[in-house]
Amino acid sequence: MIKKFTWKSLVPCCFQAEIPLEEPTKKIVKKQSSFQRISVSDISLSGPSLSADDISSSLIGSNLHVFTLAELKVITQSFSTSNFLGEGGFGPVHKGFIDDKLKPGLKAQPVAVKLMNLEGTQGHREWLTEVIFLGQLRHPHLVKLIGYCCEDEHRLLVYEYMVRGSLENQLFRRYSASLPWLTRMKIALGAAKGLAFLHEAEKPVIYRDFKASNILLDSDYTAKLSDFGLAKDGPEGDETHVSTRVMGTHGYAAPEYVMTGK
Ligand code: ACK
């Protein structure tokens, strides 16, 4: 069961100027019933600073593990270059390996550790958005968030390891055979199922960064959506749309959204 919480305790007041939330006066902190996903529309932007304890107590029931920076250094061999997987939009990603010697209850498995770039407050906000969304959403076509680290100024995320990396890499890597059409269809269907799950959820989610580099592939080319740093709660009830600051990646966002922000 997910414990009720307010975003008051999670979002430092320094974000107030950063986040272009629409009609802030209408924002109400709604009561959460058991099992209902905590939504970003429940955010209240005033309040004290974020602490790691605030997050972990708020996400009880989501099965997220809280890692220390020292533990993540051990599992990635101090973020060695030999474990480096690539540079994402929000920071470098390294491979690591966890097991129950690190923490009781951890399944032995390879993981990907993302170290968020914290220039300005944007990196922290994207980290927090990802923890809140991926910490509560589980689906075969969404990458699994295993845990996170929030220590001093460090913000990291620990995901299940996806053996074949990103679809972008599979499509554009120089020296590899091109993907067969059947595999491409499987990937497209998987990614679409991930999006459909987000859109059809009781509290819909707008992903806002759908592109080949954010679609990860496991050994049998099952596609999983990753990188929820730009995700946003979708319209609920009678609402027909949400208005947002235009976000995403140039060339991927729908033209009508870029023009209207709706
Ligand atoms: O294309 P890639 O090999 O797959 O290089 C990028 C890089 O990190 C920056 O995003 C890889 N990556 C990201 N998340 C994961 C993950 N969960 N499992 C494996 N590789 C990942 C991505």
Side-chain angles (χ1 to χ4, degrees):
M1 191 177 82
I2 292 170
K3 194 180 165 187
K4 182 185 107 180
F5 85 119
T6 73
W7 273 71
K8 263 190 185 174
S9 55
L10 300 187
V11 183
C13 32
C14 56
F15 290 137
Q16 286 182 71
E18 279 279 318
I19 308 164
L21 286 174
E22 314 74 39
E23 300 169 350
T25 49
K26 283 194 187 164
K27 293 245 169 264
I28 298 163
V29 177
K30 293 176 196 159
K31 288 201 168 165
Q32 297 292 325
S33 59
S34 309
F35 305 112
Q36 203 183 11
R37 185 175 68 75
I38 293 155
S39 99
V40 178
S41 61
D42 298 334
I43 297 174
S44 169
L45 290 177
S46 57
S49 297
L50 168 79
S51 82
D53 285 347
D54 287 332
I55 304 175
S56 60
S57 60
S58 302
L59 288 174
I60 284 172
S62 62
N63 289 329
L64 287 182
H65 293 272
V66 185
F67 295 93
T68 64
L69 187 62
E71 287 168 340
L72 297 183
K73 279 187 180 163
V74 169
I75 70 168
T76 59
Q77 297 171 317
S78 293
F79 301 98
S80 68
T81 46
S82 60
N83 283 25
F84 180 67
L85 292 172
E87 185 78 29
F90 303 121
V93 183
H94 287 80
K95 187 175 178 183
F97 196 86
I98 56 172
D99 58 23
D100 68 354
K101 280 190 226 111
L102 187 72
K103 268 184 201 304
L106 273 184
K107 182 182 142 204
Q109 62 182 307
V111 291
V113 180
K114 181 156 76 177
L115 180 69
M116 302 295 282
N117 250 329
L118 285 191
E119 275 155 33
T121 51
Q122 197 58 23
H124 172 90
R125 177 160 177 81
E126 267 137 22
W127 172 87
L128 185 57
T129 304
E130 189 139 12
V131 170
I132 297 295
F133 277 112
L134 271 188
Q136 299 179 82
L137 299 167
R138 290 280 185 261
H139 188 264
H141 294 287
L142 303 187
V143 72
K144 186 177 174 198
L145 183 66
I146 293 169
Y148 61 85
C149 167
C150 173
E151 202 176 298
D152 303 326
E153 73 281 19
H154 305 288
R155 299 289 180 275
L156 297 97
L157 296 162
V158 180
Y159 307 91
E160 66 174 315
Y161 177 69
M162 299 289 287
V163 179
R164 295 190 190 273
S166 70
L167 172 61
E168 180 176 67
N169 202 356
Q170 291 286 327
L171 290 175
F172 304 121
R173 218 173 20 189
R174 265 200 205 157
Y175 308 105
S176 65
S178 68
L179 288 172
W181 280 109
L182 213 55
T183 308
R184 290 169 188 245
M185 293 301 290
K186 176 176 178 170
I187 294 168
L189 183 62
K193 282 183 179 173
L195 277 186
F197 167 73
L198 296 177
H199 295 174
E200 289 161 11
E202 195 190 337
K203 280 175 173 286
V205 176
I206 310 180
Y207 177 50
R208 296 207 296 183
D209 211 10
F210 189 62
K211 56 181 177 178
S213 59
N214 284 344
I215 296 170
L216 299 176
L217 303 170
D218 74 5
S219 54
D220 69 352
Y221 293 97
T222 299
K224 302 197 186 190
L225 305 183
S226 72
D227 224 325
F228 277 66
L230 298 186
K232 186 173 171 68
D233 287 299
E236 279 187 84
D238 297 339
E239 296 166 341
T240 56
H241 64 274
V242 292
S243 299
T244 74
R245 179 172 61 162
V246 176
M247 300 280 263
T249 304
H250 189 70
Y252 289 90
E256 67 275 20
Y257 165 61
V258 174
M259 283 186 303
T260 64
K262 292 182 181 177

